[in-house]
Amino acid sequence: MIGIATIVLIAAPALAILIMLVVPRPVLAEILNLFAATVAFGAALVIVIAAPAHGARFLDRYIIVDPLGAWVILCAAIVYLLASIYARGYMRTLDEDERLARFYQLFALFALTIFAAPLMNNPGVYWIAIEMTTVVSTFLVAFEQAPESIEAGWKYIIIVSAGITLALLGTVLFYWAGTFSLGPTYQMTWATLRHAAPHMNHTLLILSFLLVLVGFGTKVGLAPMHTWLPDAHSEGPAPVSAMLSGALLNAAMAGIVRYLAVLHRAALFAVPDQLLVVFGVTSLVVAALFIIRQRGVKRLMAYSSVEHMGIIAIGFGFGGPLGVAGAMYHMLNHSLNKSLMFFGAGNAMRSFGTKSMSRIRAFGTHFPVSGALWLAGAIAITGAPPFGLFASEITILRAGFGGIGLWAAIVMAVLLIVIFIGFLNHFRQMYFEAPDPDAPPPRRTSKWSIVPMWLALLPLLVFGLWWPRALWRDFQVVEHNIGAAVAAIPSAATAASPSAPAILRGPA
């Protein structure tokens, strides 16, 4: 079953692309892309349910389907489906009917490359897949062909490609480290590296991981390698921004986590974990500073992505059952929440004809339904209860407060409060300050632009109130496969014991 689901996952967007190339009609392209997204989402659900703990391998072990990769694919499939629904309303407002079929070809190809990356069992091929996401998404970032979007596309591909080059060097060094115990040539897979890790030189491993962390961290948007992210997220069409933030960043983070597992197998915990935590905290600091003084609505969402990828990095750096579970749960909640936020930002931009928050006023008055959904998403994205991000952030904080990450957990908690105040202050201005009496009335939005906002918000509320037991078990499997230093945070494991009260115990 899992093999068939994996084939369907890849075949659905691939077949849609082929048909769109043969019959490049806008309406048909919309339908084909939405159909492919729906099928891919169904296949991703099957993969998450059926993925074995140690992974299923196909095509001479070049393809692996394991719980970590399956989870990243599910997050991407959710965003792809929501963004495809939203695109039917949003893209028609751009007056780009002649190029609309080309957009959906690239959009489906972008989703295909994101799906492919977590399936790659060879680290070198994984690097190629991540680089392919860069090439494809560059054309989507610059799709509107405005000077700003073209500049953002160039900046994106240059900075990310430079970072990915460092990741390639780190991959080569990992391979070289393995030759000392496996011989001059061997089939490089994630399992092979983990098997050989105890026999590798520790200094070489740490250097290799640092290069990989900086390289793929550039793609993730961790500070200070994040400089491409605000421009790319703000200048691309809103559906593309949602895919960049909610799907692509997770796929790059998965590579860092897989390399982290290699160092853990070599009994290296302190250095790589602390590196992840430091980059995560730095990302939170940078995000807080720029969120407070931000003026562009989509750039505000972009710096929020820097914040939340930093939180995910901190979670994996803390490790243990709570740290890993919180980080993975945060991936899902962030994918849902950031899709909602970019959809709302897209509606505001198209309605008011501006990206400047100073010119968006009385949004809730003009658009009661989408305004209420967007405001609820803004509250959720700051980590406020009762939404899913609150549950995942509290879980990560508990992992830090219970172990050696106390300083990072304290800094994270303080910065989350600062971001909460700064982020919602912008929404206070956009919703409750008086509009310019001479400003033209805003344009109406399509129902296609509102439905996916509902579909994103409702699960966020459910996941904030109820953490499915099956997800907790899957997260424990991933934590075991990563080999996180559970002993480093003994109180976190104790806090998760069945004897603790439910409100303190968290997910069970």
Side-chain angles (χ1 to χ4, degrees), residues 12-161:
L15 183 60
I17 294 168
L18 290 175
I19 298 176
M20 283 187 273
L21 288 172
V22 175
V23 188
R25 296 179 182 176
V27 176
L28 179 61
E30 287 179 338
I31 296 172
L32 286 172
N33 180 72
L34 183 55
F35 178 77
T38 305
V39 173
F41 172 68
L45 280 176
V46 174
I47 290 173
V48 166
I49 295 171
H54 297 290
R57 293 161 181 81
F58 307 98
L59 294 180
D60 194 26
R61 296 190 294 176
Y62 276 96
I63 302 295
I64 184 171
V65 183
D66 62 353
L68 175 62
W71 187 252
V72 171
I73 288 171
L74 176 63
C75 294
I78 291 172
V79 179
Y80 179 36
L81 177 58
L82 294 175
S84 296
I85 298 172
Y86 180 79
R88 293 206 66 178
Y90 180 87
M91 294 306 297
R92 294 178 183 181
T93 66
L94 299 184
D95 298 324
E96 293 283 1
D97 290 348
E98 294 182 359
R99 298 194 299 129
L100 202 55
R102 180 61 54 85
F103 169 82
Y104 283 110
Q105 293 166 12
L106 290 169
F107 198 65
L109 183 58
F110 186 31
L112 178 61
T113 57
I114 295 175
F115 292 151
L119 295 172
M120 298 298 105
N121 194 27
N122 183 299
V125 181
Y126 168 79
W127 179 89
I128 294 173
I130 289 294
E131 182 65 1
M132 285 301 300
T133 65
T134 305
V135 174
V136 176
S137 55
T138 297
F139 292 100
L140 288 169
V141 169
F143 180 79
E144 295 184 30
Q145 296 184 348
E148 296 85 359
S149 60
I150 294 175
E151 179 184 354
W154 276 111
K155 187 175 182 179
Y156 169 49
I157 196 169
I158 290 173
I159 294 176
V160 172
S161 295

Side-chain angles (χ1 to χ4, degrees), residues 127 130-131 134 159-169 214-216 218-219:
W127 179 89
I130 289 294
E131 182 65 1
T134 305
I159 294 176
V160 172
S161 295
I164 290 293
T165 301
L166 293 178
L168 177 60
L169 178 58
V214 172
F216 288 126
T218 304
K219 189 77 172 185

Side-chain angles (χ1 to χ4, degrees), residues 284 397 401 407-419:
L284 277 173
L397 285 172
F401 284 129
W407 70 270
I410 294 173
V411 174
M412 174 179 163
V414 172
L415 290 174
L416 288 178
I417 294 172
V418 173
I419 291 171

Side-chain angles (χ1 to χ4, degrees), residues 10 65 112 140 166 172 203 206 263 290 315 341 420 431:
I10 299 299
V65 183
L112 178 61
L140 288 169
L166 293 178
V172 172
T203 302
I206 292 173
L263 270 72
F290 281 92
M341 296 311 295
F420 174 86
Y431 275 70

